[in-house]
Amino acid sequence: MAWTQQLGGSVHASGLGRLEAELLRAALLVLAAGILAASGALFVILLYGWLIPSGSVVQLAFAAGAALLLLAVQFLARARAGSMADRASQKLLARLDQQGEAARLAGQPLIRALRGRSFLLAADCGWVPIFLMVVLVLHPLLGATTAVALLLLIRFGAAPEPPPSKPDASFRAGERRRRLAVAGLRDTLQILLLSLGGALAMAGTLQIGEIVAATLLSLRALGALGAALEDAPTLKAAHRSWQGLRSREGIG
């Protein structure tokens, strides 16, 4: 709440404050696009619950076209947010160049995060709790299993510390092992969730479309969190860099 109040007040008077507001708009755009990721799951529910029983090819084509259109809008929104983050990194770099080499070095981790995938990954994670709640509503057992899978990812995949400014060979090797472990754990959990969804469908506890939709959302949540955890050192370093830059300009 205090951070939001700062955005509305004196923070806007500084260059970093304007940059912060621009990044907030980009993050909100990614969040808005994230809900469109559920269009695939909704299409599956419609496909099995309504379209196939209706036998109408026209309705099927219309629904598929609508789902593809939503996915295209999601792609364009994410691309726009990425461009906004890249433009913000250019403004930040130009500002730091004026302040000297020390300021430029202090801002490098943040600039790398904005120019890479890290910024979009962090914003994507905002939908993980929402997807989890939807899965819980569709099927409590699948939702509870998804929650346990997410906790396992956080427990075993989180990076302990931001990377040092000059990582040595042992740190890089450890980080490669951690990334591989996160990817392997994520893929294993996804297979287990798919197997559970298949078993529930065979047992007839829900309609096949609802089971597939819940499984898709579970996989989406696991994928978003797993990707963010793989990039966790970059995100932590960017956060530390941002806090340092705010302190330099007296924004607290």
Side-chain angles (χ1 to χ4, degrees), residues 163-172:
S165 55
K166 293 183 178 180
D168 56 18
S170 62
F171 178 87
R172 292 193 298 270

Side-chain angles (χ1 to χ4, degrees), residues 59-231:
Q59 291 179 349
L60 174 61
F62 178 80
L68 290 174
L69 178 62
L70 291 176
L71 290 177
V73 173
Q74 180 196 16
F75 172 80
L76 292 174
R78 288 176 60 84
R80 171 62 177 167
S83 298
M84 292 170 66
D86 185 68
R87 185 168 61 249
S89 74
Q90 294 175 9
K91 293 179 180 178
L92 176 61
L93 184 59
R95 180 182 179 84
L96 296 178
D97 278 340
Q98 297 175 355
Q99 298 178 6
E101 184 66 18
R104 193 177 194 277
L105 290 175
Q108 278 300 321
L110 177 59
I111 292 170
R112 284 195 297 268
L114 294 176
R115 291 183 173 179
R117 65 174 193 167
S118 300
F119 176 78
L120 296 179
L121 290 177
D124 270 341
C125 282
W127 284 107
V128 170
I130 307 299
F131 290 158
L132 177 58
M133 285 190 290
V134 174
V135 176
L136 280 168
V137 170
L138 288 173
H139 199 287
L141 178 57
L142 191 56
T145 305
T146 302
V148 171
L150 293 171
L151 290 174
L152 286 174
L153 265 183
I154 294 172
R155 170 65 180 83
F156 295 104
E161 295 292 339
S165 55
K166 293 183 178 180
D168 56 18
S170 62
F171 178 87
R172 292 193 298 270
E175 186 55 26
R176 282 195 299 270
R177 289 193 296 269
R178 189 191 66 81
R179 287 174 180 264
L180 288 172
V182 170
L185 178 60
R186 180 191 61 215
D187 292 344
T188 300
L189 292 171
Q190 287 177 343
I191 291 174
L192 293 176
L193 282 171
L194 285 170
S195 301
L196 176 60
L200 292 172
M202 292 176 187
T205 58
L206 275 180
Q207 295 294 325
I208 180 66
E210 294 172 325
I211 290 292
V212 174
T215 305
L216 287 175
L217 291 177
S218 297
L219 298 182
R220 178 77 183 190
L222 274 177
L225 181 61
L229 286 173
E230 286 184 49
D231 236 32

Side-chain angles (χ1 to χ4, degrees), residues 3 16-30 81 84-89 92 110 114 119 123 242:
W3 184 73
L16 279 183
R18 290 190 295 272
L19 185 68
E20 192 171 57
E22 185 171 357
L23 292 178
L24 178 60
R25 288 193 294 271
L28 291 175
L29 184 58
V30 176
M84 292 170 66
D86 185 68
R87 185 168 61 249
S89 74
L92 176 61
L110 177 59
L114 294 176
F119 176 78
W242 181 253

Side-chain angles (χ1 to χ4, degrees), residues 245-252:
L245 294 176
R246 286 168 60 89
S247 298
R248 289 170 64 98
E249 298 213 1
I251 304 174

